[in-house]
Amino acid sequence: MLMKLFVALLLILVFLKVVNPDLSILPKETIERKALPMDVSYETIEAESYLNMIRTGAGMMRLSSNTQLQSAAKAHAYYLVSNNESDHFEIKGHKNFTGEKPVDRTMNAGYLSRVVSENISTDNHNAHQSVDGLFSAIYHRFAFLSPAINEVGVGVMQRESDSDKSAFVYVMGNSDMNALCSGKSFNGTGRYWKSCKDLSHRVRDKAYMKALNYNKQNNPDMILFPYDGQKEVPPAFYAEIPDPLPDHDVSGFPVSVAFNDYYFKHVTLISFDLFDQKDNVVNTYLMDSNNDPNHRFSEKQFAIFPLKRLEYNSRYRVLLTYGYNDKIKKITWYFNTKYIKEKFYIMEKSFDKLTVETKKSYVIYFRPLDAHDVLTDMQFPADVDVQFLDNNTIKLTIMSDKHDDFELSSGTRHLRIIVKN
C-alpha cells in the first residue's frame, strides 16, 4: 500500500492515497484471471455506508453526502483510471484533467471552502476492500476519523477494458466552513482566515474556530480504533508511502487513540499495551509525534504497531493509561480479528504439505517467517481457483472432481497439495 500526505499551511489540507501491493497470481498453465466487473453505483453507495458504519461504531458523527465533493471525487477517479495513475495530483494535458490538486478539483466542482482532505485507493475489487485498506494505514485512518469533518463525496471508477484497474476516491470537508465562504467577508480588525475559493474573502477567526469546533464537540473525547467490540478486524498491516514502519514489510494491525483537542488541551500518555487471547502482552512499537518518522502525527495522536501479525479468530484486549489534569486514568477495550469460516490451515515452515478434498474451500495462511516475508508471485495449476485474502493468506478451491497433486510456490515458500479425490 502506498500513501502520500501533504499539509498546507493554515488550511490543513491532507491528501492521502493507498495502492494495492504488487501481488500477482501466475498459474503454471498461463491464463489471465480478471476481477469481476463492479457495479460502480452500488460500490459508491457501499463505500460511503461502510465508512459511516465504522465511524458510528467508534461513536463518531456520520458524514453526510455532499454532491460537489462527490463530483470532484468521481472526476478524479475517472482521471486515475483513464491514465493508469495513482496520485493526488493531476497532470494538465492528461485525459480528463479537472484540477492539479484536490482543492482545485473541489473548487472547480463548486465547493467554496479550501479546507478539504482526500483519501485514495486504487486497484481494489470492492468498497470493503478499499475502506479496510485505508483504515489499516495509520495516516489514512486518522484522516477518516477526523472529528473536524462532517461531509464526504465518494467517487468510484473501473476500467471497462481491464476490470483489475479501479479507483476509489474520498473527498472530505466541513459544511460549516463551506457555509462561511458564502457569507459576508470579514472587514474588521483582528485575526482572520483566507480559507475560501475567493482568496479576497476573509473569515473571522472566531467564526472559523466555531465552525471547526462544532463537529469536534459532537464527537467523542477519545477516538479509539479498532473501537470497543469491533469484529472482523484485519490482522495485518503492510506498507505505506511514507512508511511508518520502514523496517517491516508485514506487521500487525495498528491500534490507535486520538484525543479530541476540543476536550484535551494537554494530555500525557503513560502506557499503551495490547494483550492476546491468552492475556500475554503483544510486542508492539509505540508511535507518537516525537518518533513518527514522517512527522504526520499530532501531539494528541498515538498508535501501537504489533511487530508481528495478529492471529485470525482471536480476541484482543487494549489497556491505555494516560494523565490529564493531574489525574491518572485507565481505559480498557476489546476487539476481534477476522473469523475464518472455511477449513483453515497455518503454514509455519518454508516447506510443508497439506491434504485437501475437491470442491471444498481452504484458507491457507502462510505465517511470515520474518518481517519481510510476504507472498509475491504464486504458481498453481490453471484449473485451481486461488484468491488472495491478504499478502500472506489465500483461499484455495479445486474445481474439478479429480485432480493430481500439485505444489503452491511463492518465493521460498513451497506447499505440496495432496488431493484426496
Side-chain angles (χ1 to χ4, degrees):
M1 296 180 182
L2 307 178
M3 190 283 292
K4 287 186 177 179
L5 176 95
F6 309 87
V7 178
L9 185 61
L10 297 181
L11 300 187
I12 321 173
L13 306 181
V14 185
F15 317 141
L16 305 163
K17 83 173 176 182
V18 163
V19 182
N20 263 7
D22 182 15
L23 189 62
S24 55
I25 301 175
L26 300 177
K28 291 180 179 178
E29 297 175 26
T30 303
I31 60 172
E32 187 175 15
R33 288 199 179 107
K34 294 292 183 181
L36 295 175
M38 287 191 295
D39 182 335
V40 170
S41 296
Y42 170 81
E43 296 298 341
T44 301
I45 296 170
E46 185 64 15
E48 183 176 326
S49 175
Y50 187 42
L51 170 58
N52 273 321
M53 187 186 80
I54 292 175
R55 278 183 59 100
T56 55
M60 303 189 73
M61 296 171 55
R62 290 178 59 86
L63 301 179
S64 60
S65 182
N66 179 281
T67 56
Q68 294 159 334
L69 295 179
Q70 185 178 40
S71 178
K74 185 176 180 179
H76 190 49
Y78 192 34
Y79 169 90
L80 294 176
V81 171
S82 298
N83 295 283
N84 197 26
E85 295 178 16
S86 184
D87 207 318
H88 297 285
F89 290 89
E90 294 186 3
I91 300 173
K92 194 171 184 179
H94 285 199
K95 290 184 294 184
N96 304 307
F97 173 87
T98 57
E100 180 184 357
K101 301 183 295 295
V103 68
D104 297 329
R105 298 189 289 272
T106 56
M107 290 190 299
N108 288 339
Y111 201 72
L112 299 179
S113 172
R114 292 175 177 267
V115 185
V116 296
S117 58
E118 180 179 87
N119 273 3
I120 293 174
S121 69
T122 57
D123 300 344
N124 295 124
H125 298 155
N126 57 64
H128 282 235
Q129 187 183 66
S130 168
V131 173
D132 282 343
L134 288 161
F135 269 100
S136 74
I138 195 65
Y139 304 129
H140 304 76
R141 178 191 301 180
F142 284 141
F144 269 156
L145 296 179
S146 168
I149 60 175
N150 69 348
E151 56 186 354
V152 66
V154 180
V156 180
M157 193 61 59
Q158 184 180 47
R159 186 180 297 171
E160 290 186 6
S161 60
D162 186 353
S163 57
D164 283 336
K165 299 298 180 182
S166 66
F168 285 75
V169 179
Y170 309 80
V171 185
M172 296 155 284
N174 181 313
S175 63
D176 298 299
M177 292 280 194
N178 197 45
L180 289 174
C181 296
S182 60
K184 187 177 180 180
S185 179
F186 173 64
N187 293 318
T189 59
R191 288 172 54 88
Y192 62 85
W193 295 78
K194 290 187 174 183
S195 57
C196 300
K197 178 179 180 180
D198 179 2
L199 287 174
S200 67
H201 187 99
R202 298 180 178 185
V203 176
R204 188 179 181 181
D205 180 65
K206 184 177 180 180
Y208 182 96
M209 295 310 297
K210 182 179 180 180
L212 186 67
N213 287 330
Y214 178 79
N215 293 323
K216 290 183 178 182
Q217 70 188 33
N218 285 287
N219 276 304
D221 57 351
M222 297 171 61
I223 301 161
L224 313 174
F225 200 85
Y227 56 79
D228 189 24
Q230 186 170 350
K231 300 183 185 300
E232 295 295 306
V233 174
F237 163 70
Y238 290 99
E240 297 178 74
I241 293 180
D243 195 341
L245 284 183
D247 295 331
H248 287 70
D249 292 321
V250 55
S251 58
F253 192 84
V255 180
S256 65
V257 58
F259 293 89
N260 188 334
D261 61 13
Y262 180 82
Y263 296 100
F264 291 90
K265 301 308 176 187
H266 302 284
V267 65
T268 302
L269 186 75
I270 297 173
S271 64
F272 197 178
D273 295 302
L274 180 65
F275 299 84
D276 65 17
Q277 195 155 276
K278 297 180 179 179
D279 216 32
N280 297 314
V281 178
V282 176
N283 187 20
T284 62
Y285 178 74
L286 172 64
M287 188 172 294
D288 58 22
S289 59
N290 294 316
N291 65 353
D292 170 17
N294 303 298
H295 311 291
R296 309 303 189 196
F297 280 48
S298 76
E299 62 178 11
K300 295 181 178 65
Q301 294 174 335
F302 304 87
I304 48 175
F305 291 80
L307 297 183
K308 293 184 178 180
R309 283 181 56 125
L310 302 183
E311 298 295 330
Y312 286 107
N313 306 345
S314 296
R315 189 187 195 212
Y316 286 85
R317 178 171 68 94
V318 188
L319 175 60
L320 176 73
T321 307
Y322 66 96
Y324 181 67
N325 284 345
D326 298 323
K327 294 182 179 179
I328 304 299
K329 298 186 177 182
K330 293 185 178 183
I331 182 171
T332 297
W333 73 97
Y334 300 83
F335 65 88
N336 291 75
T337 53
K338 283 187 176 295
Y339 182 77
I340 304 298
K341 302 178 181 65
E342 296 85 355
K343 292 182 179 293
F344 185 44
Y345 175 74
I346 302 176
M347 180 178 175
E348 305 193 63
K349 299 179 290 186
S350 294
F351 298 88
D352 209 344
K353 60 183 179 179
L354 172 66
T355 300
V356 304
E357 297 180 42
T358 60
K359 300 296 183 69
K360 290 186 178 181
S361 293
Y362 295 79
V363 171
I364 303 172
Y365 167 40
F366 293 76
R367 190 191 298 279
L369 302 179
D370 56 46
H372 307 285
D373 186 17
V374 296
L375 301 177
T376 52
D377 295 339
M378 176 165 281
Q379 294 186 346
F380 60 93
D383 55 352
V384 173
D385 184 63
V386 173
Q387 302 174 36
F388 277 95
L389 304 186
D390 65 28
N391 288 12
N392 291 96
T393 314
I394 64 169
K395 182 178 178 180
L396 170 73
T397 309
I398 299 176
M399 308 304 293
S400 62
D401 290 325
K402 291 187 177 182
H403 202 286
D404 294 331
D405 299 348
F406 62 95
E407 186 174 277
L408 290 174
S409 300
S410 177
T412 62
R413 310 298 291 270
H414 303 275
L415 179 62
R416 182 70 178 170
I417 301 296
I418 301 171
V419 183
K420 183 180 178 181
N421 292 304

